[in-house]
Amino acid sequence: MKSIADIRKDFPILHTQVNGKALVYLDNAATSQKPIQVIDALSNYYKTLNSNIHRSAHSLAAQATEAYEATRDIVQTFINAKYREEINFVRGTTEAINLVAYSWGRTNIQEGDEIIISALEHHSNLVPWQILAKEQKAKLLIIPINEKGELDQHMYQKQLSSKTKLVAVNHTSNSLGTINPIKEMIQQAHLFGAKVLIDGAQACPHGPVDVQDLDADFFCFSGHKTYAPTGIGVLYGKRELMEQMPPFHYGGEMIKEVDYDMVTFNDLPYKFEAGTPNIADTIALGTALNYMKEIGYETIKTQENALLQYATEKMSGIDELRIIGNAAQKAPVISFLLGTAHPYDVGVLLDKMGIAIRTGHHCCQPLMKSLGIQGTCRASFAFYNTLEEVDVLVEGLLRTKKML
Ligand code: PMP
């Protein structure tokens, strides 16, 4: 088992300086850093394998195809999908949700239908449904939160009805860190015949997810938050649903036969992968997920829980610091306000000390509005962070407080 010190050696950026100070990177919920294995996978692809995949006679293309398709198997195992063709490569969570809204949504949501989302959704899991609801004359319902930042399950049960066609909620909130009881929520939605899309962007960085156990109809995540490059993500959809859905993009790769007046579409998953895909980043996504497995999911969980617990305790001890979101089940994400200071000012001052946190509305403007705030400061941890870095953050916050 690798120690955290050894794990950190795999991440070159963690050994750099920002503003003359050792980087303390606490913005992992925005994007995670990349281990050297992933960086090497990218450059090795371009050095030794680069060629266009599928349908080619030459060896290099066959090898690139094999490497690309190997990631599909790795993802299938990571989320425990029943069939490999249920794994579709997309640019990220945003594109995955847009695909479902455009393709499944426009064929299945009719006037008078209801779509349920939650108050904790990222704009990516809000705007596509808002637009769809307006176009189709459907209704968008929002599950409220309680004072801890947990979804109000009682209200959710009252909102569900035979009119509900879709429930679209995140597994884990990017802004407050709340982990939602999605298995139970999916079961309840299914009792009314509704389909469920789970935004797994903030769940997958912390370990594998079992889509069969959850019985999710759609599940998506972004590679760049799971130690892989930007520009690659995954949409899982149950095979029987994806088979019935019309394509999202039209063009090469997604067709079977074309003439000037007709077209037939390719089988899954290619039906949803039009054009030359993001080959290098897909291969590197496989490397990243293998890296997480090698580190060990237990190691990841143990370290991240320790960081969350330690940081919560230490930060709660800072006078006038208010943690926003105290759910019983939380990812290693701490949203907070420091007295009456504007989050941006806190972020800028911490940056001068080499500490990277996120400030703002975290793509959750309606949530911030309902909390009566403009935004928060957010420290988010990954398994390569250390308790010493939490101490640096706490020290930085104490110094910031004196400066503001
Ligand atoms: N949903 C959640 C919960 C997120 O945290 C994010 C990224 N912040 C997204 C969706 C959008 O992901 P991407 O920008 O990678 O498409």
Side-chain angles (χ1 to χ4, degrees):
M1 202 178 83
K2 253 183 177 172
S3 67
I4 300 301
D6 280 339
I7 289 171
R8 287 179 70 82
K9 289 185 189 149
D10 290 334
F11 292 80
I13 208 167
L14 297 181
H15 308 286
T16 57
Q17 294 206 333
V18 168
N19 292 322
K21 302 281 178 346
L23 170 67
V24 174
Y25 185 77
L26 303 178
D27 194 17
N28 295 286
T31 199
S32 61
Q33 297 302 347
K34 320 303 172 201
I36 191 69
Q37 291 82 345
V38 168
I39 299 166
D40 284 348
L42 271 183
S43 72
N44 284 340
Y45 168 75
Y46 286 113
K47 281 190 227 160
T48 66
L49 271 191
N50 181 46
S51 48
N52 211 330
I53 57 169
H54 301 135
R55 306 176 315 264
S56 181
H58 66 83
S59 302
L60 216 50
Q63 284 171 41
T65 304
E66 207 176 297
Y68 175 88
E69 290 298 333
T71 295
R72 214 183 295 279
D73 298 326
I74 294 167
V75 174
Q76 183 191 355
T77 306
F78 185 73
I79 62 168
N80 194 31
K82 193 166 180 187
Y83 306 106
R84 73 186 303 279
E85 60 267 33
E86 293 178 320
I87 308 300
N88 298 268
F89 293 121
V90 290
R91 279 193 297 138
T93 305
T94 304
E95 187 174 65
I97 296 171
N98 275 276
L99 189 160
V100 177
Y102 184 90
S103 169
W104 181 88
R106 275 163 184 76
T107 38
N108 288 280
I109 302 286
Q110 317 296 342
E111 185 168 351
D113 288 346
E114 292 182 354
I115 300 168
I116 301 180
I117 64 167
S118 89
L120 290 177
E121 298 317 311
H122 187 282
H123 295 160
S124 292
N125 200 26
L126 187 170
V127 182
W129 307 120
Q130 181 195 84
I131 299 288
L132 177 72
K134 277 189 184 152
E135 273 179 21
Q136 307 294 95
K137 298 193 172 64
K139 204 168 155 193
L140 192 64
L141 305 182
I142 318 293
I143 311 165
I145 51 169
N146 64 20
E147 68 292 342
K148 288 178 161 176
E150 296 164 326
L151 295 185
D152 182 336
Q153 295 300 324
H154 182 65
M155 271 306 289
Y156 172 55
Q157 290 188 17
K158 280 177 49 180
Q159 287 167 325
L160 281 167
S161 77
S162 58
K163 288 188 193 162
T164 315
K165 289 292 168 310
L166 178 78
V167 176
V169 288
N170 62 50
H171 190 313
T172 301
S173 151
N174 65 308
S175 51
L176 305 187
T178 312
I179 299 174
N180 296 312
I182 51 165
K183 186 170 174 180
E184 292 74 23
M185 292 178 74
I186 292 170
Q187 269 171 7
Q188 285 153 1
H190 284 167
L191 292 178
F192 292 89
K195 301 293 179 231
V196 184
L197 175 140
I198 300 295
D199 168 353
Q202 295 294 341
C204 292
H206 309 297
V209 169
D210 188 333
V211 291
Q212 288 189 77
D213 179 56
L214 291 174
D215 201 17
D217 298 293
F218 299 104
F219 182 92
C220 49
F221 69 97
S222 299
H224 70 94
K225 294 180 199 282
T226 58
Y227 314 98
T230 50
I232 185 65
V234 170
L235 169 66
Y236 158 86
K238 279 184 185 164
R239 190 169 73 177
E240 62 270 26
L241 286 173
M242 298 292 277
E243 271 171 349
Q244 286 164 18
M245 283 159 53
F248 179 40
H249 293 145
Y250 298 98
E253 191 84 358
M254 52 75 64
I255 55 89
K256 219 173 226 167
E257 205 189 333
V258 179
D259 210 330
Y260 287 117
D261 57 357
M262 59 74 66
V263 58
T264 54
F265 303 127
N266 208 341
D267 297 326
L268 292 176
Y270 311 109
K271 183 168 91 173
F272 291 106
E273 292 180 11
T276 301
N278 187 347
I279 305 165
D281 294 322
T282 304
I283 293 170
L285 170 64
T287 309
L289 296 180
N290 277 344
Y291 180 82
M292 285 176 72
K293 190 171 159 199
E294 268 166 42
I295 294 296
Y297 304 131
E298 269 313 306
T299 304
I300 293 176
K301 203 159 93 185
T302 307
Q303 178 67 0
E304 291 182 348
N305 283 343
L307 287 160
L308 176 66
Q309 221 177 3
Y310 186 68
T312 305
E313 205 178 291
K314 286 275 174 175
M315 289 168 73
S316 304
I318 299 177
D319 211 20
E320 289 182 58
L321 186 144
R322 181 158 67 101
I323 293 179
I324 315 285
N326 299 290
Q329 299 296 322
K330 257 185 97 168
V333 171
I334 302 183
S335 249
F336 63 94
L337 289 171
L338 193 58
T340 54
H342 194 288
Y344 183 77
D345 294 339
V346 177
V348 168
L349 288 171
L350 289 176
D351 177 59
K352 299 257 182 291
M353 304 172 210
I355 306 164
I357 61 154
R358 182 132 300 226
T359 63
H361 53 65
H362 316 296
C363 295
C364 296
Q365 282 183 7
L367 171 66
M368 296 298 143
K369 212 187 277 179
S370 72
L371 293 171
I373 54 181
Q374 279 187 336
T376 69
C377 304
R378 184 189 69 187
S380 54
F381 304 91
F383 56 79
Y384 46 62
N385 288 125
T386 62
L387 300 186
E388 290 73 28
E389 286 182 310
V390 175
D391 290 337
V392 175
L393 171 67
V394 170
E395 184 57 34
L397 287 167
L398 290 170
R399 282 177 62 196
T400 300
K401 221 173 120 225
K402 283 191 196 137
M403 287 188 254
L404 287 169

